[in-house]
Amino acid sequence: MAIGERIRFFRNKKGVTQKYLGQVVGFPERSADVRMAQYETGSRTPKADLTRTLAGFFLNEELKGKGYITIAGRVNRQYFNERLYGARKEVNENASI
């Protein structure tokens, strides 16, 4: 699946318009939908920083749907659980990822 097809897939999965997604990632309102359409059709290829921004948007939206506010919220929740309950997950530094 090409990058444009992936953008369209995740955008449709989230139920957002091209214009909304374009504005969220930083394009001006008047050209946001056109730029996203260009990426989705493959007439333009997003640079690495835009790809990371899009991935962050889709990931954060996914976490919000599962009850997490943001990635930072998840980290904060873990920190407070450690402080309140003394629960700490041990990290095996020799384990492969």
Side-chain angles (χ1 to χ4, degrees):
M1 187 182 284
I3 186 69
E5 293 171 335
R6 291 173 193 247
I7 293 170
R8 176 176 287 147
F9 172 80
F10 286 110
R11 180 182 61 77
N12 287 333
K13 185 177 177 184
K14 294 298 168 200
V16 298
T17 64
Q18 289 175 333
K19 186 174 208 85
Y20 176 78
L21 181 58
Q23 289 175 319
V24 166
V25 298
F27 295 118
E29 182 179 355
R30 69 179 204 281
S31 64
D33 54 343
V34 174
R35 287 294 289 269
M36 294 313 299
Q38 290 172 339
Y39 293 128
E40 289 183 5
T41 60
S43 61
R44 291 182 76 121
T45 303
K47 293 183 180 175
D49 60 335
L50 177 60
T51 304
R52 279 191 294 276
T53 304
L54 287 166
F57 169 77
F58 292 127
L59 178 63
N60 281 335
E61 288 296 310
E62 188 70 27
L63 289 173
K64 285 179 187 177
K66 292 183 178 180
Y68 295 110
I69 297 171
T70 62
I71 293 172
R74 182 176 182 184
V75 171
N76 286 338
R77 184 176 295 163
Q78 180 180 355
Y79 170 78
F80 286 115
N81 284 338
E82 289 176 12
R83 299 294 284 172
L84 289 172
Y85 306 112
R88 185 163 188 221
K89 184 176 180 182
E90 294 298 320
V91 177
N92 183 355
E93 294 182 18
N94 295 326
S96 60
I97 295 176

